[in-house]
Amino acid sequence: WIGRFSSEKNLPLILKAFQHLKKTHPKTSLILAGPTREEITVIAGELNGITILGKVDYADLPRLYRSVDVLVSTSRYEGYGRIFIEALFCDLPVMATPTAGFLEAVPPDLQIQFPSDEISLANCLRHFIENHDKKNFLEKVTLFKAHFKKYDAAVTDITQTWQKLMGKKWSWFLSHKNW
């Protein structure tokens, strides 16, 4: 899970789902990038099986993506799907609530969606752990990468889609967003 500590990222959802998952898959671990240990302990209490990385430098994200089994996004809304493209380009499956950014960025045959409740997410994670076909996924993601040729083209495509959707608001958004 990668994100900032804010309500729209819905961090409590992954923490609660993880507690359910640990009952059937006790060796599973959760890696959180973004929030601090202090922020997590306020809402999670016990941190058994949870690794908290805090803020991760953007240049280190590809290494992080390649070191885990799946990226889980619990966002209540996600307008811009860059994190999903980054994960896919690192051959990382993406599991997310069906937000606009996820649905726009990830091709339907690569989407792993779940409703935004803890039991559904825990069940989705269980199914992923028990049934993920890495070879099939890699074949599909290779086609996705070939379509875009390279990461920059994928991000440009998403950016152009959002420019069309937002029209004049887009230039305001870019000028006020701290990337």
Side-chain angles (χ1 to χ4, degrees):
W1 187 93
I2 297 173
R4 63 188 178 281
F5 188 70
S6 60
S7 62
E8 70 269 9
K9 297 299 180 182
N10 202 6
L11 180 59
L13 176 60
I14 187 72
L15 295 172
K16 291 174 187 173
F18 181 67
Q19 295 308 317
H20 287 285
L21 181 65
K22 292 286 282 183
K23 294 172 187 172
T24 57
H25 294 82
K27 293 184 180 182
T28 303
S29 60
L30 174 63
I31 298 173
L32 303 171
T36 64
R37 176 171 292 283
E38 293 76 28
E39 291 168 328
I40 301 302
T41 55
V42 166
I43 57 175
E46 183 182 330
L47 300 176
N48 185 24
I50 300 174
T51 300
I52 302 166
L53 301 178
K55 294 187 190 312
V56 175
D57 188 78
Y58 186 76
D60 293 329
L61 284 179
R63 184 176 46 79
L64 176 59
Y65 289 139
R66 290 183 178 107
S67 71
V68 298
D69 295 315
V70 63
L71 170 68
V72 179
S73 173
T74 54
S75 293
R76 290 186 172 95
Y77 56 89
E78 193 72 52
Y80 197 66
R82 184 177 182 141
I83 189 172
F84 308 125
I85 298 293
E86 292 168 349
L88 289 173
F89 267 83
C90 291
D91 298 330
L92 181 64
V94 176
M95 184 182 297
T97 50
T99 60
F102 175 70
L103 297 173
E104 183 63 36
V106 179
D109 60 337
L110 289 172
Q111 292 178 4
I112 306 171
Q113 295 182 39
F114 59 88
S116 58
D117 68 89
E118 61 196 74
I119 300 300
S120 294
L121 175 52
N123 288 336
C124 191
L125 286 165
R126 264 188 212 97
H127 184 268
F128 178 85
I129 290 167
E130 296 166 2
N131 301 298
H132 178 62
D133 182 348
K134 189 169 186 169
K135 181 181 178 204
N136 184 39
F137 167 77
L138 290 175
E139 288 171 1
K140 289 178 182 178
V141 84
T142 298
L143 292 173
F144 166 77
K145 289 183 201 179
H147 171 74
F148 285 109
K149 305 290 187 258
K150 58 182 182 171
Y151 169 78
D152 291 340
V155 172
T156 298
D157 185 68
I158 291 174
T159 302
Q160 289 172 349
T161 298
W162 281 98
Q163 285 173 330
K164 290 175 190 171
L165 290 172
M166 295 185 72
K168 292 181 181 179
K169 293 178 186 176
W170 185 254
S171 60
W172 178 89
F173 175 75
L174 289 179
S175 67
H176 288 83
K177 183 72 176 167
N178 181 8
W179 297 104

